[in-house]
Amino acid sequence: MGRAVSGRVVRVPSFAKINLGLEVLGTRQDGYHELRTIFQTIDLRDDVELRGGGRDITVVCGHPAVPDGPANLAARAAHELRRYAKRTDGVEIRITKRIPVAGGLGGGSSNAAAVLMGLDRMWRLGLGPAGLHPLARRIGADVPFFLVGGTALGLGRGDEVYPLHRQVRAHVVVADPGRPISTAAVFRRLDRSLTPRENSHTIFRFVSRDLEGEGPSFPILANDLETAALEEAPDLADQVRRIRGILVREGAVSASLSGSGSSFFGLFDGPQRARRACAALGAEGFSAFRGRTLSLDQYRGAWRQSLGHEGRGTR
């Protein structure tokens, strides 16, 4: 992206995530759900450009499904940080959208984290990820993860984030059925059949293998939201069955819905299998992305490249 900071212009990448596994343990007293999840950043990304000036906070995005008002998490992030820093600066937030909207890949939350990090740099606040974390938690449950990145354990609402020692390095294929699903609607449907539980150990077994120095055991992971998501959007069931079948046939070591859907991903241990899977999905009429997981170091490196240098960029 070149140099990211040019006076009143900051450009930052905004990466997607997948959930390698997700457990819903019950409903909390604050109305949210108690979760355990394994987050993973991937190199599918939006681009966010911040242009300082005036007093207003505005969002510009060419995607028709992206809101341009207070409902946009990127705008909320700018308002929250401006209020916290006791500033009156305005900013125009330009989002180039590539991450599917409402697809379970965290695009809105990632955009919000990018705005927090970018404005922290533009306004020279010096808060960094740790200082921004309390603000991120107020904006959305997934936003704190995007201040960290890589392979990480998420607890609580998903906003308590702990990087894993062994970072997953794999090729990834993401299929987008093009059918947005409301996260809130999926959780409401799940609540109708949810039995509170504290003894689900799948995620912790995965983490224990990491701590013991063993390789990742993807087959033990599952997404508790998948059944509810497909009940909420029954027209997706056949598409998901076909997508999963293609990914498994081509050798995916893991194939699952991401978050509350509707995006579906497969992990592969080599580029050739991922390439074949992506081609097979395209031949069946699905929109598919092929890329790589991003480790903690790679994610931090992308931030450093974007925010670590000052200079005359291109306006």
Side-chain angles (χ1 to χ4, degrees):
M1 295 177 64
R3 294 196 173 189
V5 182
S6 177
R8 303 285 287 173
V9 179
V10 175
R11 301 179 185 89
V12 287
S14 176
F15 294 101
K17 62 83 180 167
I18 53 178
N19 297 85
L20 300 179
L22 193 156
E23 297 174 343
V24 184
L25 305 183
T27 304
R28 297 154 47 111
Q29 290 186 343
D30 60 9
Y32 289 94
H33 291 81
E34 189 72 21
L35 306 178
R36 292 177 188 155
T37 187
I38 302 293
F39 288 116
Q40 175 65 58
T41 39
I42 62 175
D43 59 3
L44 173 61
R45 79 181 200 195
D46 296 340
D47 288 323
V48 176
E49 180 180 275
L50 307 175
R51 291 178 173 264
R55 297 293 181 92
D56 295 331
I57 293 173
T58 59
V59 175
V60 178
C61 181
H63 196 295
V66 174
D68 57 5
N72 188 291
L73 293 184
R76 285 182 55 191
H79 281 288
E80 287 283 351
L81 186 57
R82 185 170 69 170
R83 186 179 303 113
Y84 175 83
K86 297 181 172 59
R87 299 181 69 99
T88 59
D89 312 54
V91 64
E92 181 185 75
I93 304 167
R94 290 184 170 269
I95 302 173
T96 302
K97 180 59 67 175
R98 301 183 189 91
I99 303 171
V101 176
L105 300 175
S109 296
S110 179
N111 294 165
V115 168
L116 290 176
M117 291 290 287
L119 290 181
D120 184 45
R121 185 72 176 86
M122 177 185 284
W123 293 341
R124 302 181 184 277
L125 302 178
L127 296 173
L132 293 169
H133 185 265
L135 295 175
R137 293 183 70 181
R138 291 208 294 268
I139 298 163
D142 286 350
V143 181
F145 166 68
F146 286 105
L147 297 176
V148 179
T151 312
L153 170 67
L155 301 177
R157 297 186 303 149
D159 55 353
E160 301 171 26
V161 182
Y162 305 92
L164 298 190
H165 175 66
R166 287 179 176 266
Q167 297 285 295
V168 170
R169 298 181 184 274
H171 296 260
V172 62
V173 173
V174 177
D176 173 24
R179 173 32 165 113
I181 300 181
S182 164
T183 298
V186 171
F187 273 105
R188 284 195 298 270
R189 186 171 289 274
L190 180 72
D191 285 342
R192 299 172 190 171
S193 58
L194 184 63
T195 301
R197 57 198 175 108
E198 297 180 357
N199 59 346
S200 180
H201 301 304
T202 300
I203 296 291
F204 284 161
R205 282 171 57 201
F206 185 90
V207 174
S208 295
R209 290 177 64 92
D210 171 72
L211 294 174
E212 293 167 2
E214 301 180 30
S217 179
F218 297 114
I220 69 173
L221 297 176
N223 183 347
D224 285 354
L225 294 180
E226 185 168 324
T227 298
L230 297 182
E231 290 174 352
E232 180 64 25
D235 51 302
L236 276 179
D238 181 62
Q239 294 185 66
V240 164
R241 179 186 58 79
R242 291 163 57 203
I243 292 169
R244 189 196 303 272
I246 291 170
L247 294 173
V248 172
R249 184 188 73 208
E250 298 299 339
V253 297
S254 176
S256 176
L257 198 74
S258 183
S260 58
S262 60
S263 295
F264 204 93
F265 72 88
L267 287 185
F268 296 84
D269 57 12
Q272 292 184 344
R273 290 177 176 176
R275 192 178 298 114
R276 287 198 303 266
C278 195
L281 287 167
E284 289 291 321
F286 293 108
S287 173
F289 163 84
R290 179 171 61 88
R292 297 289 299 269
T293 58
L294 282 180
S295 69
L296 180 64
D297 287 344
Q298 289 171 323
Y299 192 78
R300 288 175 173 172
W303 282 119
R304 284 195 297 268
Q305 182 179 0
S306 294
L307 299 175
H309 305 282
E310 285 198 28
R312 294 177 60 84
T314 301
R315 283 183 177 273

